[in-house]
Amino acid sequence: MIVAGLDGSDSSWRATAYAAGLARRQNATLAIAYIQPVLGAATALAGAAVEETTQEIAEELLAAVREAEHRLRDVWRVEWRFLTVRGDPYAGLARLADELRADAVVVGASEQAGHRVIGSVAVRLVKAGRWPVTVVP
């Protein structure tokens, strides 16, 4: 079982592609995970709109993954599933990786400068030390 974090960023798409290749070579299942962000206090007033938007993002990501699978089906096949949960990206990915008994976790490098100070999801996953983690630039 290979878990790939996908949030729609360029690095997360590269990570998902890398994870798909790894899953194909290892004859493993690929779990593509989108963690829907939780509402902060500042956005709580717009709760329903934000929740609807994150669900739309999940649906758009799933549609894009299905399209990619369709385009590449003659080249290679990999068993995959798309999972989405609400929460903190690190906690959501860690929980899914534990529940699925992941053999590896693949994520994109953070594209936000502030993560150098507070720690990115990738750094936190590596520091957890519970699964091999590949960070794709």
Side-chain angles (χ1 to χ4, degrees), residues 6-7 33-37 83-93 96:
L6 178 63
D7 64 7
Y34 170 61
I35 311 303
Q36 297 181 31
L83 306 168
T84 184
V85 296
R86 291 194 189 287
D88 169 71
Y90 163 75
L93 284 171
L96 285 174

Side-chain angles (χ1 to χ4, degrees), residues 54-104:
T54 61
Q55 185 58 41
E56 288 173 9
I57 292 169
E59 291 169 5
E60 288 171 10
L61 291 173
L62 177 57
V65 170
R66 284 183 175 149
E67 179 188 333
E69 178 192 38
H70 180 73
R71 279 193 328 264
L72 299 171
R73 72 176 180 265
D74 293 333
V75 179
W76 57 267
R77 293 183 188 271
V78 64
E79 182 182 332
W80 63 276
R81 57 180 127 163
F82 185 84
L83 306 168
T84 184
V85 296
R86 291 194 189 287
D88 169 71
Y90 163 75
L93 284 171
R95 188 177 85 225
L96 285 174
D98 284 341
E99 288 174 3
L100 297 171
R101 298 177 179 236
D103 297 298

